[in-house]
Amino acid sequence: MAGGQGTRLRPLTSDQPKPMIPIVNAPCMEHIVGLLGRHGFTDIAVTLQFMPDEIRDYFGDGSDWGVDMHYSIEDAPAGTAGSVKMAEQQLGLQGERLLIISGDALTDADLSRLVEFHEEKGSEATMVLKSVENPLDFGIVITEEDGRISRFLEKPAWGQVFSDTVNTGIYLLEPSVMEEIPDPEEGEYDFSKELFPKLLDAGRPLYGYVTDDYWEDIGTLEQFASAQRDVLDGKVKGVRPPGTRLRENIYVGRRAQVDDDELEGPVVIGENVRVDDGAKISPYSVIADNVVISAGARIERSVVAEGTYIGEGAELVDTLVGRNSYVQARARILERSALGDDVIVGEGATIAPEVKVYPHKTIESGANVTQSLIYETMGLRTVFKRGIVSGKFNVDVTPEFVIRLASSFGTTLDPGAVVTLGRDSSLSAQVAKRAMTAALLGTGINIRDLRAAHAGVVRHDVLSGKSSAGAHVRAGGDPDDVEILFFSADASPMTEGDQRSVEKAFVREEYRRAHGGEIGELIYPGRVLEQFVERLERAVDREKTSGATIVVDFCGGVAGLVASRVFSRLGVSAVVMEGFANANAVGEVSGTSLEESIERVARIVPTVNAAFGAVVGPEAEYVQFIDDKGEWVPNDVMLACLIDQMHPQRAVLPINLSRGYEELVEAGGGSVEVSRTGLGNLAIKAAEVRADFASLADGRYILPAFLPAPDCFMTIARVLEVFRETPLSQARKKFGDSFGNVVRERIECPWSAKGRVMRGLAEKFGGDPDAILTEGVLLNVEDGWVLMLPDPDSPMFYVYAEAEDGDGERIMGEYVDLVKSLIEDQAMLSS
């Protein structure tokens, strides 16, 4: 399989296909061809798509490697399985047992043992599996004790990592398996997404061969550099750098002009390399053929591609340099940066860490390059956290970052699509939204700009069919933070799949550019707030709200913009503690703390004979309630009161909440659907099952009949409907000061250990028919339950427990010890 473009490896792959990326001066695919030959696989078919002639011209008929090579070229993407089917048809391979292997992943897997395993098990399809530290970007495969595959999971979240054995893309297939692949003309068809799940559902014999041999997916620049070091350290059997081996893993090619005594291994020097006196090449450096390194230059842990010239006194530190580049005198290229082919770095210029310079660029002498030309690098998993993009404004989330993020978002949408944008009143949100606006327009996306409006208004505009997606920018919990929310076409939070699409575009750094009449149009629609209020009015029973009095503090949030209109339309007399004179006059509003707001509202509620008081968070999602006696109602108790009085017929609750809520729902004649943790997962699940209520028990309540997300006005209206006749102070007496008996312990867990811990838990409890592996591992134990769950955004693991007698600590202890022991085992393994 050699059709990959290697977009995450750019700029190194801008002018060459990914399988041709050199590992210690030989293309990655050459190492794989050598591996195949050593194990007797001499009939090789190669599937090609991107820059096929580069590969075909290099390998020819394969005779130089003692194999027979043929080529199948895709004109249009056919999917992984579809491309193999096409090769089978074009090259007449029908009826043959096939080994499928990638030409762009480095491995020394024992393919002979794979064949033996396959035959021993009577398998139709055998996958080579490998344990990795971070399995998030791979397809996870779960096997039974005998190796039979029981489950597939593509690109999981941390809570779904029930194994750290991932699909390496190496398969051994019987002809009967190939017969299941449709004709490539019918469209794309993948092994992992379609073929293997189909075979698994049919009960066909699929097996996983877990290997301890070396395997590295050369998918990123970091993995590319890591593979070079692994070969130099001798970790990859059968892969030897070209050239004559000297002491300490020093390899020197023919006609190289270098003082051998000055070299310290491991290091590779290619053919016709010239290293002048006074130049220093440090360990873990790979210098390709025809490179010149001038006097005084220093190369440290770097890879320099063929034909490059390094000038006098230049410095390369832990960097990657493409072919035929020219690094002039005293230039500095610093850590984790990468240059494409034919780049000129001027005399005395500095390229800062983590900067990418794409091919054919010239950097002026003395320049200090701190941003990528033309693009910039960013790790995949640094963009979304729990479905939201957030960080310190002008530190993590800069205008430049927002432009790239919005360009990525716009690129994933169809040209000419419409996106609704809104913001809160903060200065940071205004700046970020303007950056988003420019970037989206530049990708050919039309924008409905609602200016200052809370997220509920933006969601309403999307849900009403005015646009196909939405985004809202607001300040975070810390005044220095900014948050960006993205909404799908149904106004629910962006799905994890769509988040990954945005992240891929972000990492690939390739954005659609619109020109002329294709540039997006900026629209300022009218009556949006009025339409939001009208929608709310239709969703509320006005007979139950009319004439009521409430006290509300919006904590300076932009939702105050529509407060008077909402409450007057509902017939509610509202004492609003804080609002806006002009929400479009942007500026920071001096507010009080949450505790002060609750105390202030609590004092006023009894004096005006209000039904209750509400303190709304600035983002207009969280609502804290004060009962009619002026007493604050804790969030967990408020959720119990609502369920008890509302009688929802279908509720969605996260997996880590007290089972007491489920009992309340069922007592009212309803049923509960369990979701993964996090507001985005909860909202998406509620929309999927058409629930009428959902909550995290944290002050956010979702009423999907109105919007598939929390909205303070709908929450207040529904609470007013429910507690108009039965006062909130009376309803809460049933539950006391807290609800449920869930206890939680947080355990530090390094990122590198998470996969092993999840695998250990899955192996221990996977055979338990009562275990639930929706997210983490949930066990029903005697007199209660236990949930072991990794945190998706930090190096933490959580253990939740609840006991019927209220002593959750009693049943939690042994599972906390289990998680800690698995973490310690991984630490010992790593050391």
Side-chain angles (χ1 to χ4, degrees):
M1 306 286 286
Q5 296 186 31
T7 49
R8 290 183 298 160
L9 275 169
R10 292 184 178 175
L12 300 184
T13 52
S14 296
D15 290 336
Q16 62 183 328
K18 183 181 174 186
M20 295 302 292
I21 287 294
I23 305 294
V24 291
N25 291 347
C28 182
M29 182 172 155
E30 184 170 350
H31 297 304
I32 301 304
V33 170
L35 174 70
L36 292 169
R38 290 195 298 275
H39 287 276
F41 291 92
T42 56
D43 232 352
I44 301 176
V46 186
T47 64
L48 301 174
Q49 183 183 15
F50 178 68
M51 301 182 72
D53 289 341
E54 290 277 331
I55 295 174
R56 195 162 48 183
D57 291 348
Y58 184 89
F59 289 98
D61 62 5
S63 57
D64 289 348
W65 291 267
V67 297
D68 186 19
M69 298 179 71
H70 301 274
Y71 303 92
S72 170
I73 300 178
E74 298 175 49
D75 293 326
T80 54
S83 64
V84 174
K85 186 73 172 181
M86 184 181 298
E88 183 189 51
Q89 294 173 349
Q90 291 179 354
L91 305 177
L93 305 177
Q94 290 89 345
E96 298 280 354
R97 176 190 288 173
L98 297 181
L99 172 75
I100 313 300
I101 191 167
S102 296
D104 53 19
L106 184 64
T107 184
D108 61 8
D110 188 342
L111 302 179
S112 299
R113 177 64 192 124
L114 168 64
V115 175
E116 293 172 3
F117 177 90
H118 179 85
E119 293 177 345
E120 289 168 2
K121 299 296 183 181
S123 177
E124 279 192 275
T126 300
M127 308 172 66
V128 176
L129 309 179
K130 174 72 175 178
S131 295
V132 298
E133 285 187 353
N134 186 350
L136 293 181
D137 293 330
F138 301 96
I140 282 181
V141 182
I142 300 174
T143 59
E144 299 173 3
E145 289 186 7
D146 65 350
R148 187 157 185 147
I149 293 171
S150 58
R151 187 178 177 189
F152 296 106
L153 191 60
E154 279 293 305
K155 300 292 178 70
W158 267 120
Q160 299 170 302
V161 179
F162 302 115
S163 170
D164 62 353
T165 51
V166 303
N167 176 7
T168 65
I170 304 174
Y171 314 130
L172 193 59
L173 308 178
E174 293 297 323
S176 58
V177 172
M178 295 301 299
E179 292 172 2
E180 300 293 333
I181 303 174
D183 191 287
E185 293 182 0
E186 297 181 18
E188 294 188 40
Y189 196 80
D190 282 332
F191 284 118
S192 57
K193 294 180 182 177
E194 287 141 326
L195 178 61
F196 293 146
K198 175 185 176 183
L199 296 175
L200 185 64
D201 291 342
R204 304 275 282 273
L206 273 67
Y207 283 82
Y209 171 66
V210 181
T211 181
D212 292 326
D213 298 327
Y214 184 87
W215 177 81
E216 178 71 84
D217 174 39
I218 314 298
T220 66
L221 295 171
E222 292 78 8
Q223 291 169 334
F224 171 70
S226 175
Q228 307 274 359
R229 294 191 291 269
D230 289 341
V231 172
L232 292 174
D233 281 335
K235 294 181 179 179
V236 190
K237 297 187 295 290
V239 176
R240 179 193 182 280
T244 301
R245 181 174 183 175
L246 305 179
R247 69 194 183 286
E248 300 174 2
N249 284 351
I250 295 173
Y251 297 85
V252 178
R254 294 178 299 173
R255 297 183 296 279
Q257 302 175 44
V258 58
D259 185 349
D260 299 349
D261 295 334
E262 292 296 321
L263 296 177
E264 180 182 353
V267 68
V268 178
I269 306 294
E271 296 183 358
N272 301 315
V273 169
R274 192 188 87 201
V275 181
D276 292 345
D277 292 342
K280 175 68 174 176
I281 300 178
S282 297
Y284 295 102
S285 292
V286 177
I287 311 301
D289 298 345
N290 305 308
V291 169
V292 174
I293 301 175
S294 301
R298 182 166 71 93
I299 314 295
E300 180 179 333
R301 295 175 66 89
S302 296
V303 179
V304 181
E306 182 177 3
T308 287
Y309 187 100
I310 309 296
E312 294 182 358
E315 181 180 2
L316 278 65
V317 181
D318 193 16
T319 191
L320 308 171
V321 179
R323 298 172 295 186
N324 303 313
S325 292
Y326 179 19
V327 180
Q328 295 183 2
R330 294 178 297 285
R332 301 174 69 231
I333 308 175
L334 302 181
E335 295 88 346
R336 298 175 303 283
S337 55
L339 273 61
D341 298 343
D342 299 307
V343 170
I344 298 174
V345 181
E347 184 175 340
T350 297
I351 298 178
E354 300 192 20
V355 165
K356 291 180 183 177
V357 180
Y358 272 56
H360 318 298
K361 302 294 184 294
T362 298
I363 297 170
E364 294 182 0
S365 297
N368 184 14
V369 181
T370 59
Q371 294 187 11
S372 295
L373 301 176
I374 299 288
Y375 310 91
E376 186 186 17
T377 180
M378 174 65 71
L380 240 178
R381 301 197 61 78
T382 61
V383 181
F384 286 92
K385 290 185 178 180
R386 294 189 181 273
I388 296 176
V389 178
S390 62
K392 299 292 180 190
F393 182 69
N394 262 341
V395 179
D396 304 306
V397 182
T398 63
E400 298 89 345
F401 171 88
V402 175
I403 287 171
R404 293 188 292 276
L405 174 67
S407 296
S408 303
F409 176 46
T411 299
T412 65
L413 303 173
D414 292 334
V418 180
V419 170
T420 299
L421 292 186
R423 61 164 172 82
D424 70 6
S425 63
S426 64
L427 291 168
S428 58
Q430 184 189 39
V431 173
K433 189 173 78 69
R434 285 181 172 175
M436 288 192 75
T437 299
L440 286 171
L441 294 174
T443 61
I445 300 299
N446 300 308
I447 294 176
R448 289 173 59 85
D449 188 346
L450 305 191
R451 292 177 284 195
H454 76 281
V457 177
V458 178
R459 288 190 176 99
H460 155 74
D461 195 65
V462 175
L463 192 60
S464 65
K466 302 293 198 312
S467 56
S468 56
H472 185 260
V473 189
R474 67 191 187 194
D478 185 306
D480 291 333
D481 288 353
V482 66
E483 297 179 344
I484 305 175
L485 289 71
F486 292 91
F487 312 132
S488 300
D490 63 353
S492 63
M494 180 184 283
T495 66
E496 290 177 347
D498 288 340
Q499 290 171 32
R500 283 195 289 268
S501 295
V502 173
E503 288 173 330
K504 285 179 182 177
F506 193 101
V507 170
R508 290 175 178 177
E509 301 170 346
E510 290 184 335
Y511 317 122
R512 182 177 65 233
R513 301 300 187 192
H515 302 281
E518 297 175 349
I519 296 172
E521 180 182 357
L522 183 59
I523 306 162
Y524 294 99
R527 295 199 71 253
V528 174
L529 294 178
E530 288 80 0
Q531 291 166 358
F532 169 81
V533 176
E534 290 167 3
R535 178 183 182 83
L536 179 68
E537 188 178 17
R538 290 193 298 270
V540 174
D541 186 345
R542 198 176 187 280
E543 291 184 3
K544 293 182 178 180
T545 62
S546 183
T549 300
I550 60 174
V551 181
V552 187
D553 187 345
F554 287 97
C555 297
V558 74
L561 175 67
V562 292
S564 61
R565 283 182 251 191
V566 168
F567 294 135
S568 63
R569 292 285 284 270
L570 300 182
V572 175
S573 175
V575 179
V576 178
M577 305 298 297
E578 199 166 341
F580 280 94
N582 180 3
N584 283 310
V586 178
E588 306 291 347
V589 178
S590 60
T592 56
S593 69
L594 178 63
E595 292 76 13
E596 291 172 333
S597 295
I598 290 174
E599 290 177 5
R600 185 168 60 173
V601 171
R603 288 195 301 268
I604 296 174
V605 166
T607 64
V608 298
N609 197 28
F612 57 80
V615 176
V616 178
E619 73 298 309
E621 292 179 350
Y622 293 90
V623 185
Q624 304 284 328
F625 286 96
I626 296 92
D627 68 20
D628 49 295
K629 302 296 185 183
E631 297 291 330
W632 173 64
V633 185
N635 292 325
D636 56 344
V637 174
M638 188 65 201
L639 175 57
C641 292
L642 266 174
I643 292 174
D644 191 47
Q645 296 294 316
M646 275 182 61
H647 306 302
Q649 293 306 293
R650 176 167 288 182
V652 174
L653 300 172
I655 196 170
N656 60 341
L657 279 197
S658 169
R659 297 301 172 265
Y661 293 113
E662 185 173 351
E663 294 171 2
L664 284 176
V665 174
E666 292 173 348
S671 62
V672 169
E673 295 276 352
V674 176
S675 84
R676 292 165 53 198
T677 55
L679 182 65
N681 293 322
L682 184 81
I684 291 170
K685 181 76 171 183
E688 284 177 355
V689 303
R690 298 182 180 276
D692 48 2
F693 182 75
S695 179
L696 295 172
D698 64 351
R700 291 180 290 183
Y701 307 91
I702 300 176
L703 298 153
F706 177 61
L707 286 177
D711 181 81
C712 64
F713 292 112
M714 188 65 220
T715 296
I716 290 171
R718 185 53 48 86
V719 170
L720 195 54
E721 291 175 352
V722 172
F723 297 107
R724 183 69 184 276
E725 296 181 1
T726 302
L728 182 54
S729 60
Q730 179 179 329
R732 67 174 296 185
K733 289 179 181 178
K734 181 176 179 180
F735 304 108
D737 293 329
S738 65
F739 185 85
N741 302 306
V742 177
V743 295
R744 186 190 80 171
E745 181 154 343
R746 187 174 69 172
I747 306 167
E748 292 187 5
C749 177
W751 286 108
S752 59
K754 280 188 178 181
R756 291 270 185 181
V757 173
M758 286 296 291
R759 178 184 180 184
L761 293 174
E763 289 176 347
K764 185 174 181 63
F765 301 111
D768 183 348
D770 294 327
I772 299 174
L773 277 64
T774 302
E775 183 178 34
V777 177
L778 175 66
L779 302 174
N780 291 310
V781 299
E782 187 177 355
D783 301 327
W785 57 269
V786 174
L787 172 65
M788 292 162 281
L789 181 68
D791 187 290
D793 299 317
S794 61
M796 294 289 173
F797 224 96
Y798 295 99
V799 179
Y800 298 85
E802 184 177 35
E804 292 177 4
D805 61 5
D807 188 9
E809 300 282 355
R810 172 179 55 82
I811 62 176
M812 182 173 68
E814 67 174 286
Y815 297 97
V816 170
D817 292 340
L818 172 62
V819 171
K820 288 181 177 178
S821 69
L822 290 170
I823 295 171
E824 290 168 3
D825 289 347
Q826 172 62 19
M828 292 177 62
L829 204 65
S830 300
S831 62

